[in-house]
Amino acid sequence: MLLGYCNDRSVNSGVPGDGGGYLHWRCALRRGHEGLHRYRNYVWNEQRDVEYAPVPIADPMPLQPWERRCIRTRRQMREAIEWHKVQDEKRAAIRAERRRAR
């Protein structure tokens, strides 16, 4: 953000179902831009709905300020671990219910 780029992300955490796209996608447009956020040929809105919208051939491809790696932040890791724990508990409860029903 200090470099003048929007830096909005299509995914706020590593939890599945939290937005579309990939963790490393960040908006390549300048800060304060109008309209949708863009990572190369994909755009998203404030609700994180991602869709394919190729850049017109006459327009230059927006340059990414820097290439990012697909490494989660500590917060994203904590949220993903918590999400997986909840899903494991739900699966265990379903298995236990099936065993009792036999």
Side-chain angles (χ1 to χ4, degrees):
M1 187 139 178
L2 293 175
L3 295 175
Y5 289 92
C6 173
N7 218 22
D8 188 71
R9 296 170 18 175
S10 64
V11 178
N12 275 340
S13 69
V15 176
D18 179 34
Y22 295 98
L23 288 173
H24 67 279
W25 284 7
R26 293 192 183 245
C27 185
L29 303 176
R30 300 301 286 182
R31 187 175 51 203
H33 65 85
E34 298 282 329
L36 299 173
H37 300 286
R38 176 175 287 279
Y39 177 83
R40 298 196 174 125
N41 283 325
Y42 291 88
V43 294
W44 65 91
N45 57 17
E46 296 301 323
Q47 289 76 36
R48 310 288 186 242
D49 300 325
V50 176
E51 66 182 53
Y52 179 73
V55 176
I57 294 175
D59 296 343
M61 179 69 72
L63 298 175
Q64 296 304 121
W66 49 82
E67 287 299 317
R68 293 171 173 91
R69 306 289 183 253
C70 297
I71 298 173
R72 294 178 176 173
T73 64
R74 289 182 184 192
R75 176 180 169 203
Q76 290 170 338
M77 286 298 293
R78 283 194 311 268
E79 289 174 349
I81 289 168
E82 183 60 32
W83 184 85
H84 285 292
K85 284 181 186 175
V86 170
Q87 298 307 310
D88 289 343
E89 291 169 2
K90 287 180 182 178
R91 279 191 226 104
I94 290 170
R95 283 193 302 268
E97 186 63 35
R98 287 181 185 163
R99 275 190 239 120
R100 276 182 276 194
R102 290 186 202 170

